[in-house]
Amino acid sequence: MAEDSQDHSTNSKAGFSHPSQGREAGGRPQGENANRLHSPDLEEKQLLTGGRPGNRYVRIVRPYAREFRRRAPGHLVATERVLRPRGPFGLATETVRRVLIGPRLRTEQEKEERVGKLKGLAIFASDNISSSAYATEEVMRVLALASLGALALSVPITLAIIIILAIVVTSYRQVIRAYPNGGGSYVVAHENLGALAGLAAAAALLTDYILTVAVSVSAGVAAITSAFPELFEQRVLISVAAVFVVTMLNLRGIRESGNVFATPTYVYVVAILGLVGFGLFRMVTGSLPAYTAPPEWLAGQTAHPLTLLLLLRAFASGSVALTGTEAVSNGVPAFKPSEVRNAQVVLVMMGVLFASIFLGISVLSTQLAIVPHPEEVETVVSQLTRTLVGIGPYYYLIQFSTAVLLLLAANTAFNGFPRLASVLANDGYLPSQFQFRGDRLAFSVGIVSLSALSALLIVVFAGSVTSLIPLYTVGVFLAFTLSQAGLVRHWWRLRGEEHGWRQRAAVNTLGAVATGVVAVVVAGSMFMLGAWMVLVLMPVLMAMMWAIERHYRAFKDSLALERPNARLPKPEPPHVVVPVSRLDKAALIALAFARSISPDVTAVHVSTDPEEEKRMKRRWEQWGGEIPLVIVESPYRVLISPLMAYIDALDRQEPKRPITVVLSEFVPRHLWEYILHNQTALRLKIRLFFRRNTIVVDVPYYLGGENEPEHLDDGIGE
Amino acid sequence: MELASKAIRSESPGPVIVCLDDEHDIASLVQCGSAHARLADRSLFLVFLIVLPPQRPLATLSEEEKQRANTLLDLAADRAAAFGVETTEEIWITRSRSDAVQQMAEEFQASAVIVGWHGAGPFGLFDAGRTLLDAVGCPVIMVGLGTGRRAVSSWPPSWLSESLQETGR
């Protein structure tokens, strides 16, 4: 595309400025040169005549090149320089922010890591595998309410949960196949079952993510306080601090880096499998050590009858082990090709590993007749390890790797929640702020919201995993059920195209029924223990998201162009009102601007003092400007209401004409000087902002006189 | 070496001008310019020179040409910033490279002009650098980049590195 061939000639050297003298440090030209052509692209083009006859040059000056990079005509890219803070306060804030969050990243600096099966297992399975650290304990805690003998039922309940796990894993293999771009429960339910089911899944997932952080961090801290019981009293503080650290890491943009996840996950898996193997070996050889629970642990317990409800409660508490199963299906695109195959393999590996650890811990704990600590000071895994290998390096390895893995599991929620929130915001179900990505490309609002809500839960539930579990499981299984049911619908829709759709639909039907039954069991058996909170919260969340979507839809509809080539509306010149308190330089700038946008300008002076009113009239006559002045007397000494009433009256005279109010507002040099002025313009601006058919123009006047046009002195007589 | 020393001692208050174009290695030119600007405590002025043939009007620069110039200038400015030198940049469209360099050196009272040089032809013929040296009033540093007989093989030369180290810049 050729440039505009019309040269905007300047004469000879008039257009030159010294590059080292003619600009400020930031490269901005000083003053205005009438011979330069300024373009919207912020370039200045000059045609110059050189020293020799016939020599001509075209010079394209880029005074704002540091702030904007030009990509194409009418396309500028802002550089990091425009974000540089101004003033000491901004500089201090920026420094703190840099230290805590790190330097800003450009949008294109985002990197998507592709992972293989081993790293993928570490990344996506950490949430699920980490559940093995507390799943057995939660089953035993409920059974122990009946009697110590009831603890023997831990293994059958564990097996029942593993069967459910197998069904869920098999069903989610289908999700991976059907949604290779990542099929979260929300996406699957929304696409196949409609908006309401999608919202239900979204509400369940959002609460699930919040609880994942609260439960994982609390359980991680419990692993530490088991090793160091003197820290038990500080567990809430430590948990909140851990949430803060994970939040800061996520705000810095830490991604699910395979290397970050791989080591702790595999250390935990190898260590715990080693412990389970060692324990089973001793069990088979009949050399298991003796375990005796302190009698005071049992003294305070009141025996509950071993009812079906108690068994269902134990099953429901243990079902927490299934949390995180869906993570693999959400992250299919992160796998190396073939993505679907790798994700399916990882899902099965995860299920097998988790089931082995879970079953192993349950079997050994039952064999040893381990009793959960009534006040959660020491975890079952800690007791098991202590009994099997004693307190030594291996014990600390197990405790620390458990704690680190649980914190990483919390981190997976920090990845999932903000992304889901941004997807929901993109669909209009959550405020658009959730789509905002911060300096480090992280969804800052989502991260901070998750952090605040999970920290609140930890504080309210005093960092107790057992108290948090009843809230946790119901949402997880609801999301499972909706996802599986959605997939049944999906296969039904593809019945003409997809070979083997019946088998696939059957698998997902089984998944939907199984997880649905568990959801009902969990909700029923744990209702009074706290599940009711989630069951109340979820419809509220759904209603909120529905209302937000309605608002955004109405907002978009009202702003949408009726046709793509809509022409600019041609409004009549506005009736301009300029409120003036006195005739000064600031007022004259406002009046001059008002005159520049419309011939119909009225200056309005609200008078609260007859003497001042006379002075104003006299000065207006002396000035001799051609703008009429209207005095509105306010005997009750109120400024804004009479002015608003005058504007209303003016508007009623010609309702079709817009009214523009030009406000003169002076800007003091220092922030503290604002308090010396009564800010009438600011209050008026706020009132006018909500008035229909009214445009408010703010004309600032900077105290200090650096930008006073010379002509303003004309006509002002003292 | 002689010319470079003159540049460093120059009393001119003006900037060090680096002339860039499509043909020369921008990295070497900017590195040289940045080193001199820091040593002489002068600002750095980057100019992208586009020489158009007589049949093309000066104002008919294509968008591709303009965008390429902008991109290379951005790249050069980023490199200079990496050396800790602030720059200003312009695009000059001209008929004659040496005339334009002479013109900008005079107008800006340049303390030095840095240009790329591919060396001279046989018997010193077609030596554009010589023409430039004769025309420009301020010190001119030619950074040899090509494969000509008199091309400089590496940059920066040892004397400049030593000078920078001595002055602690």
Side-chain angles (χ1 to χ4, degrees):
Chain A
M1 187 179 77
E3 272 193 347
D4 183 1
S5 61
Q6 192 183 15
D7 286 335
H8 294 261
S9 303
T10 60
N11 194 6
S12 182
K13 299 164 188 176
F16 278 105
S17 64
H18 197 293
S20 61
Q21 294 174 348
R23 294 182 191 147
E24 297 168 6
R28 203 160 289 172
Q30 289 176 354
E32 188 73 16
N33 189 321
N35 291 325
R36 288 176 173 178
L37 169 70
H38 298 271
S39 77
D41 287 351
L42 303 177
E43 285 182 345
E44 295 167 13
K45 194 168 77 173
Q46 303 152 22
L47 179 64
L48 303 156
T49 307
R52 294 184 192 177
N55 278 0
R56 280 152 63 91
Y57 315 94
V58 171
R59 187 178 158 195
I60 300 172
V61 185
R62 313 186 327 154
Y64 299 98
R66 298 275 71 76
E67 287 90 357
F68 296 98
R69 292 283 161 90
R70 184 182 182 276
R71 284 288 164 265
H75 182 175
L76 301 174
V77 180
T79 65
E80 196 182 2
R81 195 187 183 99
V82 301
L83 305 173
R84 280 189 187 174
R86 294 171 190 177
F89 181 72
L91 200 65
T93 315
E94 178 70 10
T95 307
V96 172
R97 193 194 177 57
R98 283 268 170 130
V99 170
L100 288 176
I101 298 174
R104 291 188 172 89
L105 292 177
R106 294 165 64 88
T107 310
E108 61 263 28
Q109 282 177 282
E110 184 172 35
K111 287 177 188 164
E112 285 293 340
E113 188 184 12
R114 288 278 186 140
V115 291
K117 286 192 271 292
L118 280 180
K119 276 190 182 178
L121 181 69
I123 292 172
F124 296 109
S126 62
D127 185 9
N128 179 247
I129 290 176
S130 69
S131 310
S132 61
Y134 52 83
T136 301
E137 178 165 341
E138 293 310 316
V139 175
M140 295 176 84
R141 239 172 231 295
V142 179
L143 293 173
L145 293 175
S147 66
L148 285 183
L151 289 175
L153 293 170
S154 301
V155 174
I157 289 174
T158 300
L159 286 170
I161 294 167
I162 288 173
I163 290 169
I164 298 292
L165 174 72
I167 293 172
V168 171
V169 165
T170 313
S171 303
Y172 267 91
R173 287 185 81 239
Q174 310 273 24
V175 178
I176 291 169
R177 192 175 188 281
Y179 287 87
N181 294 323
S185 299
Y186 164 70
V187 176
V188 177
H190 194 269
E191 274 189 28
N192 297 295
L193 301 175
L196 195 67
L199 288 184
L205 282 170
L206 290 174
T207 47
D208 176 24
Y209 282 128
I210 296 164
L211 283 155
T212 297
V213 176
V215 169
S216 297
V217 169
S218 300
V221 171
I224 294 170
T225 55
S226 296
F228 304 100
E230 59 274 20
L231 294 174
F232 181 72
E233 291 302 320
Q234 308 300 325
R235 66 190 185 285
V236 174
L237 191 65
I238 297 170
S239 299
V240 172
V243 171
F244 178 76
V245 170
V246 177
T247 305
M248 294 318 296
L249 287 174
N250 278 278
L251 286 175
R252 285 185 76 95
I254 187 172
R255 301 298 309 275
E256 287 171 329
S257 161
N259 295 330
V260 171
F261 275 76
T263 314
T265 306
Y266 284 113
V267 167
Y268 173 82
V269 167
V270 171
I272 204 85
L273 281 178
L275 181 79
V276 167
F278 179 65
L280 290 175
F281 173 76
R282 292 187 72 174
M283 190 181 87
V284 171
T285 55
S287 58
L288 270 182
Y291 167 87
T292 314
E296 64 269 20
W297 288 13
L298 310 168
Q301 289 188 358
T302 50
H304 287 59
L306 185 63
T307 58
L308 179 65
L309 184 66
L310 198 74
L311 285 176
L312 289 176
R313 238 181 86 187
F315 171 79
S317 289
S319 299
V320 73
L322 269 67
T323 55
T325 314
E326 77 289 354
V328 181
S329 68
N330 290 343
V332 183
F335 283 91
K336 286 178 182 167
S338 137
E339 293 88 348
V340 169
R341 180 77 193 135
N342 285 337
Q344 286 179 331
V345 169
V346 164
L347 184 67
V348 174
M349 283 164 66
M350 180 186 80
V352 171
L353 269 178
F354 170 76
S356 311
I357 297 169
F358 184 29
L359 185 62
I361 292 174
S362 293
V363 167
L364 288 170
S365 302
T366 311
Q367 280 294 316
L368 287 166
I370 285 176
V371 178
H373 192 295
E375 288 161 9
E376 301 178 56
V377 173
E378 187 176 11
T379 62
V380 165
V381 171
S382 168
Q383 292 186 62
L384 178 68
T385 316
R386 184 162 51 79
T387 309
L388 285 173
V389 297
I391 294 181
Y394 202 81
Y395 170 80
Y396 288 111
L397 176 71
I398 292 277
Q399 292 310 112
F400 278 112
S401 62
T402 306
V404 173
L405 185 69
L406 283 161
L407 287 179
L408 288 181
N411 195 61
T412 59
F414 271 93
N415 189 52
F417 180 97
R419 278 191 184 182
L420 175 63
S422 80
V423 170
L424 287 167
N426 193 42
D427 290 351
Y429 290 117
L430 280 183
S432 51
Q433 289 91 327
F434 281 94
Q435 280 180 284
F436 172 74
R437 298 172 88 185
D439 290 348
R440 304 281 296 177
L441 295 171
F443 293 106
S444 311
V445 177
I447 289 170
V448 173
S449 307
L450 174 65
S451 169
L453 291 167
S454 54
L456 181 71
L457 275 180
I458 289 170
V459 172
V460 169
F461 289 87
S464 163
V465 177
T466 305
S467 308
L468 285 163
I469 291 293
L471 284 75
Y472 195 11
T473 329
V474 64
V476 175
F477 277 91
L478 184 63
F480 282 162
T481 309
L482 288 167
S483 170
Q484 298 309 310
L487 221 56
V488 174
R489 184 83 187 273
H490 173 81
W491 299 126
W492 175 252
R493 278 181 181 161
L494 295 178
R495 61 189 180 281
E497 312 159 25
E498 184 84 18
H499 179 70
W501 68 271
R502 281 193 183 85
Q503 292 89 324
R504 294 185 215 292
V507 167
N508 288 123
T509 305
L510 179 66
V513 171
T515 52
V517 168
V518 178
V520 172
V521 167
V522 170
S525 62
M526 295 202 166
F527 187 79
M528 295 309 291
L529 294 171
W532 66 268
M533 286 187 249
V534 177
L535 293 172
V536 169
L537 180 68
M538 277 178 40
V540 172
L541 267 176
M542 286 168 65
M544 194 185 77
M545 289 192 276
W546 180 74
I548 290 171
E549 199 272 342
R550 265 192 64 179
H551 164 79
Y552 279 132
R553 193 147 31 93
F555 171 75
K556 276 181 190 162
D557 287 349
S558 63
L559 289 181
L561 294 177
E562 281 155 12
R563 51 181 195 277
N565 60 344
R567 293 189 176 177
L568 280 176
K570 288 181 182 170
E572 283 187 60
H575 194 145
V576 184
V577 174
V578 185
V580 284
S581 57
R582 56 188 166 270
L583 191 56
D584 54 16
K585 292 177 180 177
L588 279 200
I589 291 180
L591 288 165
F593 178 79
R595 178 54 72 77
S596 74
I597 58 172
S598 174
D600 191 0
V601 180
T602 307
V604 181
H605 175 74
V606 180
S607 164
T608 55
D609 173 13
E611 284 304 311
E612 187 234 326
E613 180 188 317
K614 282 179 196 163
R615 270 202 305 277
M616 184 72 188
K617 275 184 182 165
R618 197 171 58 244
R619 290 196 65 191
W620 201 266
E621 282 162 11
Q622 275 182 330
W623 173 52
E626 292 164 0
I627 295 173
L629 173 71
V630 174
I631 305 260
V632 177
E633 210 176 303
S634 174
Y636 299 100
R637 300 164 304 286
V638 177
L639 291 175
I640 293 176
S641 296
L643 184 62
M644 291 296 291
Y646 176 77
I647 292 169
D648 287 346
L650 210 59
D651 197 14
R652 278 196 292 274
Q653 282 183 352
E654 288 179 279
K656 286 187 180 172
R657 258 182 97 183
I659 286 194
T660 298
V661 180
V662 175
L663 296 173
S664 163
E665 193 169 9
F666 57 85
V667 182
R669 280 186 175 183
H670 305 106
L671 209 59
W672 63 268
E673 290 173 350
Y674 274 100
I675 57 173
L676 304 178
H677 304 281
N678 55 15
Q679 304 300 327
T680 312
L682 182 66
R683 285 186 285 141
L684 188 57
K685 209 160 34 181
I686 293 166
R687 288 280 294 272
L688 289 167
F689 184 75
F690 295 101
R691 194 180 183 286
R692 284 176 184 271
N693 199 31
T694 308
I695 299 158
V696 182
V697 179
D698 208 356
V699 181
Y701 183 84
Y702 296 91
L703 290 182
E706 286 165 7
N707 54 356
E708 291 169 27
E710 288 173 10
H711 66 271
L712 283 179
D713 286 336
D714 300 343
I716 303 179
E718 284 297 327
Chain B
M1 170 139 176
E2 175 67 15
L3 292 169
S5 301
K6 273 162 61 182
I8 293 161
R9 289 196 299 269
S10 172
E11 295 300 320
S12 166
V16 172
I17 298 177
V18 177
C19 296
L20 309 165
D21 57 39
D22 270 336
E23 293 174 27
H24 295 110
D25 180 7
I26 283 177
S28 303
L29 290 168
V30 173
Q31 189 180 359
C32 172
S34 302
H36 278 285
R38 286 170 63 194
L39 198 60
D41 201 15
R42 299 285 191 275
S43 61
L44 190 64
F45 183 44
L46 304 173
V47 181
F48 193 89
L49 270 176
I50 298 172
V51 181
L52 291 185
Q55 61 270 26
R56 271 185 72 181
L58 285 176
T60 57
L61 197 64
S62 73
E63 182 51 40
E64 287 75 22
E65 287 171 312
K66 193 172 166 186
Q67 192 51 45
R68 176 163 174 73
N70 270 307
T71 305
L72 291 173
L73 272 179
D74 290 342
L75 189 72
D78 286 344
R79 281 196 165 269
F83 291 115
V85 178
E86 287 265 326
T87 58
T88 46
E89 308 98 42
E90 289 185 6
I91 300 166
W92 280 48
I93 308 157
T94 179
R95 300 269 180 240
S96 156
R97 188 164 180 256
S98 57
D99 282 355
V101 175
Q102 181 191 357
Q103 183 74 37
M104 68 180 77
E106 282 174 17
E107 291 299 334
F108 300 145
Q109 298 172 45
S111 49
V113 172
I114 296 172
V115 293
W117 186 54
H118 283 291
F123 311 109
L125 296 172
F126 314 115
D127 186 355
R130 185 76 251 165
T131 316
L132 207 58
L133 279 176
D134 293 340
V136 178
C138 74
V140 177
I141 299 169
M142 288 185 286
V143 179
L145 304 160
T147 53
R149 284 190 302 122
R150 289 157 58 190
V152 178
S153 57
S154 68
W155 187 265
S158 57
W159 61 266
L160 180 58
S161 305
E162 285 159 14
S163 297
L164 286 167
Q165 278 175 359
E166 279 168 21
T167 51
R169 291 174 188 273

